[in-house]
Amino acid sequence: MKIWHIVGARPNFMKAAPVYRALARRRATQTIVHTGQHYDAAMSDVFFRQLGLPRPGHNLEVGSGSHAQQTAQVMMRLEPLIAQARPDWVLIYGDVNSTVAAALVCVKLGVKTAHVEAGLRSRDRTMPEEHNRIVTDHLADILLTPSADGDANLRAEGLPASRIRRVGNVMIDTLVRLLPSARRLSPLGRGEGCAPFVLVTLHRPSNVDDPRHLRTLVAALERIAVEAPVLFPVHPRTRAKLEGKTVKGVTLAEPLGYLEFLALQTRAALVVTDSGGIQEETTYLRVPCLTVRPNTERPITVTLGSNELIGTDPEVLVRRARAILRRGGKRGRVPPLWDGRAGERIAEELTARTRR
Ligand code: UD1
């Protein structure tokens, strides 16, 4: 079985790792293509190293650009490689520009794709990822969903049941495997048994691209920092918008490696984020999470997990953060099939469909 994995941006790497490992156990011939959407060492190399992913067979080096430029460059550079290699399956992950670009290339070459993390919908048309999700799901041959809401969304859009397979959450596979290694680290001076702190990530265009809105969120973080230290590893997109400003009481750090960030999540009293993956990781870890967005494509983290969707009003953020720091927050439950075996189920499904 000849498998290609297309990855490009930070949240793809932890999803591809368990699938790669499960397929390696089945002796599949595998190639990783890195589109180069994320290229900083801190956004890419450290993840390959920590996750044990082999070096990519191809790096398309597309880099940054507008959505159209990035998507088009991935398509142009990927097409000749896929046309020549003609893998049995191309695996695509999540909802980034590299994902939709790969789906378009493969479907037109008649090469089969499997979409890992299919079916998620925020129903927010201002979110670039929402378009990537919808287009990718309608093009892919197998839709591998993390939870029942994913299946329901796909069925509601008319996608046939035969293409949908619920496998659980692959990102949790990586978390389960690497938790013991993460627990041995003390990033930013926070080891086991440290005093309570708040961990923050913000990088969504809707939160960081408008400097006025970003300033109001940063002012809210300064007020939260009066209650407990705030640690904020800053995504390059956010860093550019902060323009070197210091934030009172808030430790601004470079983006962290996978293990370092996981270690901090396990010890945080509260996580404040607008990331998708972090809503899921905190749900698994049962750490209270406030999501600074009006909607989420991962509703199960709210209905079952430890996540609370609070919108983007800084006053609400401060109020909810204070309440959680003083009285504790929701712990929730771990959703079904978030059990560390999703990669195995994906490998089984691909093997079965290749034999047919
Ligand atoms: C992308 C994904 C988003 C995901 C996020 C995780 C899309 C549409 N968005 O957003 O879903 O949550 O990755 O990080 O695919 N930059 C660097 N170094 C890098 C990468 C980016 O400096 O290694 C800077 C550049 O200025 C770039 C900006 O960050 O223009 C944004 O990068 P881009 O890949 O366009 O989108 P993200 O905001 O990272």
Side-chain angles (χ1 to χ4, degrees):
M1 194 164 49
K2 184 160 148 190
I3 310 268
W4 279 38
H5 304 258
I6 315 299
V7 295
R10 186 168 62 176
N12 294 157
F13 308 136
M14 41 288 227
K15 293 168 195 163
V19 184
Y20 188 96
R21 289 166 68 83
L23 285 164
R25 283 193 284 275
R26 286 171 169 75
R27 309 214 175 288
T29 311
Q30 303 188 76
T31 302
I32 295 181
V33 179
H34 192 323
T35 66
Q37 177 174 345
H38 285 173
Y39 43 86
D40 285 357
M43 298 293 287
S44 173
D45 304 9
V46 63
F47 290 85
F48 274 76
R49 215 169 40 246
Q50 294 187 341
L51 302 173
L53 274 171
R55 283 170 63 84
H58 303 275
N59 192 323
L60 308 182
E61 294 181 347
V62 300
S64 300
S66 71
H67 285 267
Q69 284 166 350
Q70 212 170 41
T71 311
Q73 286 298 335
V74 173
M75 289 181 69
M76 288 165 67
R77 295 178 195 197
L78 184 61
E79 184 182 53
L81 300 175
I82 299 283
Q84 202 199 357
R86 299 206 70 84
D88 296 312
W89 290 100
V90 173
L91 284 156
I92 50 181
Y93 298 88
D95 56 15
V96 302
N97 288 341
S98 301
T99 313
V100 71
L104 276 162
V105 165
C106 292
V107 74
K108 295 199 177 182
L109 289 173
V111 169
K112 284 185 292 188
T113 51
H115 183 206
V116 178
E117 199 184 83
L120 301 190
R121 298 289 183 270
S122 66
R123 301 191 169 76
D124 178 351
R125 288 179 58 87
T126 66
M127 213 183 165
E129 293 84 356
E130 184 71 354
H131 307 291
N132 294 346
R133 294 180 195 118
I134 293 170
V135 174
T136 302
D137 282 338
H138 283 256
L139 298 179
D141 296 274
I142 314 182
L143 304 167
L144 302 158
T145 63
S147 44
D149 54 289
D151 304 31
N153 290 334
L154 295 169
R155 297 297 300 275
E157 289 174 20
L159 288 159
S162 57
R163 270 160 69 187
I164 305 168
R165 165 89 156 94
R166 196 183 319 154
V167 291
N169 191 323
V170 274
M171 220 178 52
I172 300 304
D173 288 19
T174 297
L175 189 158
V176 168
R177 178 169 70 93
L178 294 178
L179 200 50
S181 315
R183 287 199 199 278
R184 286 195 283 274
L185 305 179
S186 303
L188 307 179
R190 261 60 182 195
E192 207 56 64
C194 64
F197 64 89
V198 179
L199 180 63
V200 177
T201 74
L202 294 171
H203 74 279
R204 291 259 156 252
S206 57
N207 277 333
V208 307
D209 281 3
D210 170 12
R212 262 201 336 241
H213 180 58
L214 180 59
R215 263 200 307 277
T216 64
L217 289 177
V218 163
L221 296 180
E222 289 180 330
R223 288 165 65 197
I224 295 168
V226 174
E227 311 269 323
V230 174
L231 309 183
F232 185 179
V234 186
H235 184 284
R237 175 179 208 111
T238 313
R239 169 81 64 186
K241 303 292 172 181
L242 284 173
E243 293 166 340
K245 286 192 194 70
T246 53
V247 186
K248 222 166 56 207
V250 176
T251 304
L252 299 178
E254 291 303 310
L256 295 173
Y258 178 79
L259 294 173
E260 289 78 7
F261 193 78
L262 178 56
L264 290 179
Q265 285 190 82
T266 64
R267 294 171 193 142
L270 165 66
V271 174
V272 173
T273 194
D274 59 9
S275 145
I278 293 167
Q279 298 172 51
E280 300 181 334
E281 290 172 344
T282 48
T283 277
Y284 184 84
L285 296 168
R286 307 184 68 214
V287 169
C289 177
L290 296 178
T291 295
V292 187
R293 285 176 44 188
N295 47 58
T296 179
E297 61 289 335
R298 293 160 162 93
I300 199 164
T301 62
V302 176
T303 53
L304 267 193
S306 61
N307 186 23
E308 194 182 321
L309 202 56
I310 58 166
T312 58
D313 178 348
E315 288 306 319
V316 178
L317 171 58
V318 174
R319 188 162 26 123
R320 289 302 303 138
R322 277 186 185 145
I324 291 171
L325 289 170
R326 289 173 192 174
R327 294 190 291 277
K330 170 164 89 138
R331 306 287 302 271
R333 283 191 291 130
V334 177
L337 299 182
W338 292 26
D339 58 359
R341 297 193 36 82
E344 273 300 320
R345 288 188 281 267
I346 291 174
E348 259 166 40
E349 184 72 15
L350 291 175
T351 311
R353 291 201 190 219
T354 308
R355 273 198 233 106
R356 250 176 241 163

